[in-house]
Amino acid sequence: MKLQLTPFIMLDGNADEAIRFYEQALNATVVFKQTFGDAPEDPEHPLPADAKNRIAHSVLKIGDSELFVADLDPGKPHNKGNLVNICITTEDAKHSRQLFDSLREGGQVNMPLQEIYFSPAYGVVTDKFGAVFQIFTKKNRNR
């Protein structure tokens, strides 16, 4: 099975500034950037106006590598331990479930593995050592 591990820097409202910094400092190229305001509106959880410009996700290309940079969800606490996450990308929801279940053993579920608008199986878990993993399943483009 194909897996991809990507460092994911989580910030608290200054991700856009960090992206501009990495463009200069690391000669990074932004290949994708989406704000929370770009996402579909959830009437049960309205987004505060001041959170709409926060970065929900970005992909920076640096040499042959990628770096993800985003802001935490509005209202989530920003702790020093959760600044850098590791995003594990799979192509199969069943494989994502296996990884998620293995990593949560003795750890903590931050967001249950679930279907979400950008992924058929996405979740966040902190393992028993305190490392934060985002499990991301690519959408099948043939559907």
Side-chain angles (χ1 to χ4, degrees):
M1 299 223 157
K2 184 178 175 185
L3 282 180
Q4 177 181 337
L5 275 67
T6 308
F8 200 132
I9 298 174
M10 300 299 298
L11 299 168
D12 190 21
N14 58 342
D16 203 40
E17 176 186 351
I19 290 166
R20 289 191 306 273
F21 174 76
Y22 296 135
E23 283 180 297
Q24 296 298 312
L26 302 174
N27 199 28
T29 301
V30 177
V31 295
F32 178 81
K33 185 164 76 168
Q34 180 180 38
T35 65
F36 282 100
D38 293 332
E41 191 74 31
D42 180 356
E44 293 183 26
H45 300 96
L47 191 63
D50 62 340
K52 292 187 180 206
N53 288 330
R54 291 171 72 103
I55 304 300
H57 186 57
S58 71
V59 178
L60 284 66
K61 189 79 170 166
I62 304 167
D64 292 333
S65 300
E66 287 185 341
L67 174 66
F68 295 168
V69 180
D71 288 310
L72 292 166
D73 290 343
K76 295 275 177 148
H78 187 256
N79 302 316
K80 286 191 179 218
N82 66 3
L83 174 66
V84 177
N85 294 202
I86 298 169
C87 183
I88 301 177
T89 301
T90 76
E91 296 178 351
D92 177 67
K94 184 177 176 185
H95 190 205
S96 292
R97 169 60 63 195
Q98 291 168 338
L99 292 167
F100 187 86
D101 289 344
S102 294
L103 288 167
R104 77 176 184 178
E105 221 171 282
Q108 173 185 338
V109 172
N110 304 15
M111 178 181 176
L113 190 72
Q114 60 190 308
E115 185 171 350
I116 195 161
Y117 76 95
F118 58 82
S119 173
Y122 174 80
V124 182
V125 62
T126 301
D127 74 9
K128 63 183 175 183
F129 303 104
V132 180
F133 289 88
Q134 296 184 38
I135 309 299
F136 170 74
T137 311
K138 290 182 178 179
K139 281 187 176 183
N140 183 347
R141 305 261 187 238
N142 297 329
R143 286 186 200 171

